[in-house]
Amino acid sequence: MSKRITRTPSRRRKLQKSVLLLVEGSTERNIIPHCFDKRDYPDLSITIHDYNGGGYMEIEHWISRRRDTLDIVLVVCDLDRAASSKDEEKALRKTIEFLWNENRKNNIFLTCPAFEEWLLRGLPASPSSPLFRCLGYGSEKEQKSDTRLWDHFVRKGGTPAIAAAWFRNKPLYYKKVDFSQGQFDENHLTTSQSALYYLEDYLQLLNDK
């Protein structure tokens, strides 16, 4: 009669939390993956999609159509629409409320006037020229269509760390650094800012909690 071999049960791998980074367009989709290292967040499964621009309500529509497949959503978009129109600001607030009601771990990272400001402030010496000129493009359109934008940025000495240091002490229109409800400051709706400086900290919080 053969002797039964008792195997020690293997330890199950911890189930990863699903995090979607929903970004405004192709520029953000090409750059955001370089702004953090997925290996720093082993308990997160991070994917990136874009909602192809449009107004703030498009964010709500995009998520609503896919909510059965989504867990935590982090939105990256521009503040320029809200800064230029009261109706757009109302739409943004409604979208932020929607994100909160869907999942209190959801968040939105706004940059004013646009995502390119994050890249510009990530260059050494904080240049005053438009980003496309600083990176050697002939026009803004050429810059936006280039899938190698990150390479140009790095070649000019740009890093996310420089951008984070620039924006860290700048006031924000909307700030949500944990799982409590975020805070608005209407005095800073139109000022240069980017909540992306705490994106890595927020990912770490999601990983640990």
Side-chain angles (χ1 to χ4, degrees), residues 28-42:
E28 293 88 342
R29 192 180 67 243
N30 290 331
I31 298 298
I32 287 294
H34 298 286
C35 292
F36 60 89
D37 189 337
K38 286 185 178 182
R39 294 172 297 182
D40 292 338
Y41 316 105

Side-chain angles (χ1 to χ4, degrees), residues 167-192:
F167 286 110
R168 190 169 302 279
N169 295 316
K170 302 287 190 300
L172 300 173
Y173 167 71
Y174 179 75
K175 187 174 185 179
K176 182 179 183 295
V177 297
D178 53 32
F179 304 148
S180 59
Q181 200 156 13
Q183 300 297 315
F184 291 91
D185 186 345
E186 290 189 0
N187 293 321
H188 297 289
L189 176 59
T190 61
T191 59
S192 172

